[in-house]
Structure formats: C-alpha cells, structure tokens
C-alpha cells in the first residue's frame, strides 16, 4: 500500500489529479491513499513556512511526499525553490518517507519554458537523491506528437481533464512501478465521475506517461 502526501497548489489538485491516481491504482488491484496540503499559487517556500504542512509530513506515516513548486517558480526564483525543497526533503526523510518531485509543464503560450522547468526539477531531484515524476516531459511529448489532444484547462496554464489524467498516469507508472497502458479511461469515486476520456485518447496518454518515466530510467 502507498500513502502519498501531495504538497503543492492548483497544478496538483485541479480536476482531482490525486484522486485519479487512487482510481487508476484501484482499477489494477492496488491500494493508494492520497492526501493534500495545498494553497492557491503556493510555492515550496510557502509550504516550508506553514506549520500545518510540516506537521502533516511528520505525522502522516507517508510512504511518499510529492513536492510541486508554483508553476513559474523554476523560471523566476530557482534558488528559493531549491533551498526550501531541501529543507522539506530533510523532514520528509526524517519522517521515513521518500521525496518525489512533481515536474510541471509550461503554459500553452510559453512552450519554450519547458526545458528550463525540467532542468530545475531534475537538478533538485538529483541533489536530494529523490524521485522525479516527469509529468512535464509527458506533456511535452503529447504536445509534439498529438497536438490535437488538448491537455489544458481553458486558462491555458492548468491541466484540463486530459492533462490531469496524464499526470496521474505518470505518478501511477513511477510509484506503482508498472505501465498504465490498458488501465480504465473511465474513473469514478464515491459517485463522482472523475474521468471519462475516449479510449483512444486515454491510450495515448498512458503510453506517453510510460515512455516519460522509462526515459528517466525509473521504469
């Protein structure tokens, strides 16, 4: 069983991404429990300053804690991102959990930012000897190879339903250590329909997630 704490902001929670991960895992007979510590536009520095986040890390018996910087943090203040991520990584390790960095994606209008975002996440994951969820890499692959499959929310920054599903598939591949290809394209939880994608689209997203994680030598 995995107990995963997601620490982040709307890039984590919009369209129920952690719950999608739980649903994907349940569909393959695995148990994944998720909880969130989130704030609108929150950075890892904001979370480091927040006693509630640190208490949740220390007392949750987590197997993994996922850190997600605000979307422009790697571009505008990488030193702060890296400093406070290292601080959080220390208390995560002390609590007996594994740190996972959530590599996010560039805004639709600024696709060229993806290389900088990816580099910042790769660097801090390497420094902390932590796991890296290459979500942004999977997004980039879809944008380059299947541009008609729209991953974005209407604001052009956040994940839409397909984008959230892709993100969940990356986390499934990384943390459950198996391919998501063939998992359900329809996910319900407690009577709420979380995902209902065309099967062909879901297959493309699943394969992109599998390839992105495999490309980092993780699966």
């Amino acid at each position: 069983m995995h107990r995963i704490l997601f620490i982040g902001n709307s890039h984590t929670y919009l369209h129920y991404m952690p719950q999608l991960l739980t649903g994907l895992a349940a569909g393959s007979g695995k148990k994944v429990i998720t909880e969130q510590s989130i704030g609108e536009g929150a950075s890892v520095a904001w979370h480091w300053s927040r006693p509630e986040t640190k208490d949740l890390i220390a007392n949750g018996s987590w197997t993994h804690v996922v850190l997600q910087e605000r979307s422009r943090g790697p571009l505008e203040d990488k030193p702060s991102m890296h400093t406070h991520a290292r601080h959080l990584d220390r208390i995560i390790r002390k609590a007996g959990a594994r740190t996972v960095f959530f590599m996010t994606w560039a805004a639709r209008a600024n696709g060229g930012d993806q290389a900088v975002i990816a580099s910042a996440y790769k660097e801090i994951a390497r420094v902390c000897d932590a796991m890296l969820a290459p979500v942004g890499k999977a997004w980039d692959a879809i944008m380059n190879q299947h541009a008609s499959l729209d991953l974005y929310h209407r604001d052009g920054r956040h994940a839409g339903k397909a984008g959230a599903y892709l993100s969940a598939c990356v986390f499934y591949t990384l943390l459950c250590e198996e391919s998501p290809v063939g998992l359900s394209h329809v996910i319900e939880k407690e009577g709420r329909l979380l995902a209902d994608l065309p099967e062909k689209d879901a297959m493309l997203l699943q394969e992109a997630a599998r390839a992105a994680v495999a490309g980092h030598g993780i699966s």
Side-chain angles (χ1 to χ4, degrees), residues 4 21 33 44 59 65 77 80 119 132 149 159 171 193 195 213 216:
I4 305 167
L21 170 59
I33 295 170
V44 290
N59 300 311
V65 177
D77 198 349
S80 175
S119 177
L132 177 65
L149 209 173
F171 280 103
L193 184 63
V213 175
H216 277 75

Side-chain angles (χ1 to χ4, degrees), residues 3-4 24 28 46 61 90 100 116 119 149 152 158 173 208:
R3 290 179 51 84
I4 305 167
L24 287 170
S28 67
W46 182 86
S61 299
R90 283 195 289 271
V100 183
V116 177
S119 177
L149 209 173
Y152 289 92
H158 291 91
T173 308

Side-chain angles (χ1 to χ4, degrees), residues 70-187:
R70 66 184 179 88
S71 60
R72 293 196 60 80
L75 302 161
E76 296 173 347
D77 198 349
K78 187 177 80 168
S80 175
M81 170 189 171
H82 283 195
T83 295
H84 294 96
R86 290 196 302 271
H87 293 337
L88 286 168
D89 176 64
R90 283 195 289 271
I91 64 172
I92 291 166
R93 289 172 181 274
K94 186 176 179 180
R98 186 88 188 269
T99 301
V100 183
F101 285 99
F102 178 172
M103 179 201 292
T104 53
W105 53 88
R108 191 201 303 273
N110 303 104
D113 290 342
Q114 186 58 52
V116 177
I117 294 169
S119 177
Y121 277 101
K122 289 176 184 177
E123 182 181 340
I124 190 58
R126 190 164 52 246
V127 166
C128 294
D129 191 24
M131 301 175 77
L132 177 65
V135 174
K137 181 178 179 182
W139 274 59
D140 207 34
I142 290 293
M143 297 295 291
N144 288 328
Q145 299 167 23
H146 306 285
S148 62
L149 209 173
D150 190 5
L151 302 178
Y152 289 92
H153 188 62
R154 58 181 173 271
D155 63 4
R157 295 190 307 113
H158 291 91
K161 291 181 179 180
Y165 184 91
L166 174 57
S167 302
C169 284
V170 171
F171 280 103
Y172 176 89
T173 308
L174 177 66
L175 300 178
C176 295
E177 299 183 331
E178 67 177 37
S179 171
V181 175
L183 294 180
S184 180
H185 58 105
V186 178
I187 299 176

